[in-house]
Amino acid sequence: MGEKVAAGTFDLADRHHYRGKLRECLAGLERLLAEERFDRPKNLMGMEIELNLVGPDGLPRMLNAQVLERIASRDFQTELGMFNLEVNIAPHRLGGRVLDRLAEELRTGLNYAHRKANEVDAGIVMIGILPTLNRADLVSANLSDVDRYALLNDQIVAARGERFVLDIEGVERLTCTSASIAPEAACTSVQLHLQVTPGRFADVWNAAQAIAAAQVAVGANAPFLFGRELWRESRPPLFLQSTDTRTPELQAQGVRPRTWFGERWITGPLELFEENLKYFPALLPLLDEEIPREVLDAGGVPQLGELVLHNGTVYRWNRPVYGIADGVPHLRVENRVLPAGPTITDVIANAAFYYGLVRALAEEARPVWTRLPFEAAARNFDVACRDGIDATLQWPRRGRLGGTAEVAAVDLVRDELLPLAAAGLDAWGVEAADRDLYLGVIEERCRLRVNGASWQATTYHRALEAGMAREAALAATTQRYGELMHTGEPVHTWPVGLRQPAVPLGG
């Protein structure tokens, strides 16, 4: 939901008018699809990474406006919390040495941002949830000073009508309440975009849903929240609960949450946009003057502003995106599963795994989604978030036996998914050196059973065993994480435990 919106209030008629306009936009999208107006295949991918600002003590720094002013680049933008930034990587064509080029662009950009943050005694940390965040950090006063965040917060709070309840039970249990959506700002992620033709959209989206659990299992990096050790990837339950407009009564009735895995495989892109209109009331009923039918009748391409805005307030883990580039409409699958970090190499490895795997699975003669019940894919996602690298997933059996079997995530990835990802990267035309380097990172994580979450948890527990108090152990773990992150070496190579003394992040 990156569009600029003006703060304001809505009267009783606004949502009624907006609902009608959404239907007009949906009809416009349907017509664009029927007239085959969408862009031809360009093999384009894009990436966004959400970042944290952290002080030398490992604690969050509410300074994004000051840091952004110093960075002075359109590639860096605000995110929900004052301790958040987002970096956007321009679209790249999949092929050749694209993975190494992405890594170099990210290194250059993040090193520059880190130096600028140092000027205000802060540093950049890529991590799923900052371990040192506490409840006092995640309040409405610490939302970024941007109209759209204030407006979104007001509308979600009004829709819920009572305090948000956070109740996550993992290694430990966290229960608390919030008067705002600010806890959502704790979730810092990587979003991977893939431009697809309408005819390929369903296959790519279904493939992305099927592998979401495997992505999380190898990439988990968010084991802590508010001083508690929870799930290995605590972002999904936190995101769901911190944006949940449903009261307990509506939950009991089976009303769907706005943070949503989905409930079925699809056959075309229109279905997801239709579901978003059918199931989710508008949060931001901001009306555009455009009349899609008239734009189409005149041979133009409609912006479909209401549909795009509404779509941005439904938080699917694989989200459909409508966009326009150079006057031509296109569709993208936005993969929102992964946490940020730990290092640039790890981020690019996760991306290589994803882009290779969705290409291979989308082109299989017997697609995995014809052999795996959707309910199993959704359950796999929850299990992977809870257990991370140690997860056991349900997956279709090989050969003629049919059915599904339980398999350790690390075995599934090493034995079946990594060869598919390699074949997919070959199909994209990615150079073998890039393919082998970055998929090798995933293979080593599986062999060693190490990812960002397991490293954080093990280092934290060693600090406790050394006699540190809980808060001090979390701060020291964060400091050590930041130090190792900036070496650039992938997380499976990191030495476990603290180095004495811990090195400040801001230096």
Side-chain angles (χ1 to χ4, degrees):
M1 202 206 74
E3 300 298 317
K4 291 183 179 179
V5 296
T9 57
F10 308 112
D11 64 30
L12 294 175
D14 285 332
R15 282 186 172 80
H16 176 75
H17 292 150
Y18 191 83
R19 187 177 292 116
K21 194 65 183 296
L22 279 173
R23 287 194 292 266
E24 292 178 30
C25 287
L26 189 65
L29 178 61
E30 188 170 14
R31 183 168 157 185
L32 283 166
L33 289 165
E35 294 176 1
E36 299 183 350
R37 297 277 299 276
F38 283 87
D39 204 358
R40 293 180 177 83
K42 287 189 174 178
N43 297 353
L44 285 178
M45 56 80 66
M47 182 185 294
E48 304 165 65
I49 307 177
E50 294 161 353
L51 309 165
N52 291 277
L53 291 171
V54 179
D57 53 6
L59 302 181
R61 300 279 281 169
M62 307 297 168
L63 294 170
N64 65 357
Q66 295 93 317
V67 174
L68 283 168
E69 185 178 3
R70 285 167 168 79
I71 294 173
S73 166
R74 286 183 296 179
D75 293 340
F76 287 83
Q77 299 173 358
T78 54
E79 252 300 327
L80 185 61
M82 287 184 176
F83 61 95
N84 299 144
L85 301 176
E86 180 176 270
V87 59
N88 296 289
I89 302 301
H92 283 63
R93 191 180 301 275
L94 277 160
R97 301 304 302 270
V98 64
L99 299 175
D100 258 359
R101 285 201 308 276
L102 282 168
E104 188 55 37
E105 285 182 32
L106 278 172
R107 282 189 199 98
T108 301
L110 294 187
N111 286 340
Y112 175 71
H114 185 64
R115 290 196 302 273
K116 290 299 178 183
N118 287 170
E119 294 176 8
V120 290
D121 204 26
I124 300 287
V125 170
M126 289 193 298
I127 197 166
I129 296 175
L130 194 63
T132 50
L133 285 167
N134 63 47
R135 290 172 61 184
D137 296 319
L138 294 172
V139 293
S140 56
N142 285 335
L143 293 177
S144 292
D145 187 18
V146 177
D147 283 344
R148 70 176 184 270
Y149 298 134
L151 188 56
L152 184 66
N153 178 66
D154 291 348
Q155 293 304 305
I156 291 181
V157 169
R160 182 171 175 85
E162 57 188 73
R163 294 178 71 88
F164 296 90
V165 176
L166 303 183
D167 188 348
I168 305 172
E169 186 167 6
V171 178
E172 299 176 294
R173 185 175 184 180
L174 171 71
T175 56
C176 63
T177 64
S178 174
S180 75
I181 66 169
E184 182 204 326
C187 305
T188 38
S189 63
V190 172
Q191 288 117 46
L192 301 174
H193 291 255
L194 180 60
Q195 184 176 322
V196 294
T197 59
R200 301 238 355 208
F201 184 95
D203 289 345
V204 171
W205 188 86
N206 288 339
Q209 290 283 94
I211 65 167
Q215 286 181 273
V216 170
V218 296
N221 196 28
F224 299 107
L225 178 65
F226 295 165
R228 295 288 180 268
E229 185 178 357
L230 302 174
W231 293 14
R232 285 304 184 244
E233 186 54 45
S234 303
R235 285 169 41 257
L238 172 58
F239 206 115
L240 186 154
Q241 294 178 18
S242 63
T243 60
D244 201 346
T245 55
R246 307 170 303 161
T247 60
E249 295 81 5
L250 291 176
Q251 293 181 39
Q253 292 170 35
V255 173
R256 295 156 182 86
R258 297 191 84 96
T259 300
W260 199 34
F261 187 81
E263 58 193 17
R264 63 189 178 91
W265 306 116
I266 64 168
T267 59
L270 199 66
E271 297 170 33
L272 298 178
F273 292 97
E274 287 175 330
E275 282 185 347
N276 286 356
L277 270 61
K278 181 178 180 182
Y279 296 140
F280 302 106
L283 288 176
L284 301 170
L286 297 161
L287 289 161
D288 198 327
E289 293 181 359
E290 177 187 79
I291 301 174
R293 173 176 43 80
E294 292 183 357
V295 174
L296 284 163
D297 287 346
V301 177
Q303 299 289 327
L304 306 182
E306 291 86 357
L307 188 73
V308 170
L309 182 59
H310 181 62
N311 191 59
T313 64
V314 179
Y315 304 104
R316 294 179 181 270
W317 292 109
N318 284 291
R319 177 191 274 167
V321 178
Y322 169 84
I324 302 172
D326 300 322
V328 182
H330 66 263
L331 293 171
R332 303 194 304 273
V333 173
E334 180 190 13
N335 178 259
R336 303 162 50 80
V337 165
L338 290 164
T343 67
I344 289 166
T345 299
D346 287 302
V347 168
I348 301 301
N350 290 339
F353 183 57
Y354 170 75
Y355 287 118
L357 199 46
V358 292
R359 172 74 185 251
L361 291 179
E363 295 180 350
E364 279 195 316
R366 289 186 63 215
V368 64
W369 55 92
T370 66
R371 299 176 286 132
L372 181 70
F374 191 92
E375 297 75 18
R379 188 165 56 251
N380 280 346
F381 183 66
D382 282 345
V383 169
C385 291
R386 186 182 297 273
D387 298 336
I389 201 81
D390 296 318
T392 297
L393 307 177
Q394 191 174 346
W395 197 255
R397 288 190 181 92
R398 293 185 186 184
R400 299 179 180 179
L401 292 175
T404 62
E406 298 285 322
V407 57
V410 290
D411 294 334
L412 174 65
V413 171
R414 289 176 71 188
D415 298 342
E416 189 167 345
L417 301 186
L418 276 173
L420 285 168
L425 291 177
D426 287 345
W428 287 121
V430 171
E431 288 281 350
D434 273 19
R435 176 200 69 201
D436 294 345
L437 171 64
Y438 291 105
L439 293 185
V441 170
I442 304 297
E443 184 173 16
E444 284 299 290
R445 283 191 219 151
C446 292
R447 184 178 70 84
L448 298 170
R449 288 181 176 260
V450 170
N451 60 16
S454 69
W455 183 91
Q456 287 186 60
T458 305
T459 297
Y460 163 74
H461 282 287
R462 289 200 183 175
L464 291 181
E465 290 163 7
M468 281 191 174
R470 180 184 291 255
E471 287 189 4
L474 287 169
T477 297
T478 304
Q479 289 173 305
R480 180 64 170 150
Y481 177 103
E483 176 192 346
L484 291 168
M485 185 202 92
H486 284 289
T487 69
E489 295 300 318
V491 71
H492 71 266
T493 69
W494 290 7
V496 174
L498 302 177
R499 192 179 80 163
Q500 298 297 334
V503 175
L505 294 177

